[in-house]
Amino acid sequence: MSDKTLHVELVAADQAVWAGAAKMVIAKTVEGEIGLLPGHEPMLAILAAGEVRITLPTGEKLVASAEDGFLSIEHDVLTIFARHAALV
Amino acid sequence: MGAQLRVYRQKIKSAQTTKKITRAMELISASRIAKAQQRVAAATPYSRAVTRAVSAVATFSNIDHPLTTEPARIDRAAVVIFTSDRGLAGAFSSNVLKEAEQLTTLLREQGKDVIYFLVGRKSVSNFSFRRRESAQAWIGGTDLPKVDTAKEISDAVLEAFKKDFADGGVDEIHLIFNRFVSMISQEPETVRLLPLEVVEAEEAPSAGDVFPLYEFEPDAGKVLDALLPVYVESRIYNAMLQSAASEHAARQKAMKSATDNAEKLIKNYTRLSNAARQSEITQQISEIVGGADALASQGDED
């Protein structure tokens, strides 16, 4: 497996919640769950209410909730911005 | 104590009381500016992400959306005015209202009808004093804006935007608010919110480039449908935060000069009262000396 990582930013309307590197991110869009790895094609999706699971490069897992938001990925930079977002 | 002296003492006391109040307000505002600025900074990543996403849709898809296309005729424009709830902030609110006045004149010259959405008690009282109509008003909480209020405002303006002209709908939305430039400078700013004027493209695409395929889920139209209200809301929220930070800065500045003026008054009145006291004493001395002289000369005659 390559050592490339995603740069993830989790942003709520009134603050930046979390930012950092990740190996994989699983999020729930209106079309269903999607797993994102480094090298993903550029995409912009509407998020469904639910949790976002982030796997850190160390293998640890981080879970956040996001509601009423969007997900955008471009050049291995993943931005999840939602009106309400928080780490669980 | 002479009458003159008493009047000066009274004036000094009243200036001192005023100074205490204005000094307290100055300190309160000063402590709140930092917090307001932090809130602006905290909300920036979100609005940047939203703006970038809007520009991505605009750049990588060619769909026509009612919110982005300029209508052939613009017959009515909505102006959202952000003022403060409370006064004692110098020209803070009147600057914005003046700017709104100019914009109104400009829009009327272009043959457009203008309706207003007001934020802040000061704009509401200004409008009711001039007996002007406003479509909707929000009061309270201008110094500590809430995301929910921003959502209410954006819902209201978007609803007006989606309506037809005949039903009282608008074709254009402008925001007027005080932009926080620095602690000592806040500028009234007019922004046309809708139809989208300039979408800040991250990397301006040049014609020769081959773009990566951009995927939208579910599809570009639906993403834009969902994204634009969020964009409008985040712009309005940003305007409210800027306005709040500017309000505190303007109040701090106004109260600082009020305090300085009070100090100057106190100094002047103290000088005057000293002079009055001295002249009173001088007069008393000369009266006594004159009286003693008179008595002495009377004694000589006896």
Side-chain angles (χ1 to χ4, degrees), chain A residues 7-66:
Chain A
H7 178 73
V8 182
E9 282 179 37
L10 182 61
V11 179
D14 50 1
Q15 58 174 332
V17 178
W18 186 79
K23 212 153 65 175
M24 180 173 74
V25 175
I26 298 173
K28 202 168 146 198
T29 73
V30 284
E31 303 257 283
E33 283 215 326
I34 185 170
L36 299 153
L37 290 168
H40 197 280
E41 65 176 342
M43 188 181 76
L44 185 59
I46 306 175
L47 280 185
E51 57 184 23
V52 176
R53 296 197 291 282
I54 302 165
T55 310
L56 301 182
T58 53
E60 278 175 81
K61 286 195 174 139
L62 208 64
V63 180
S65 69

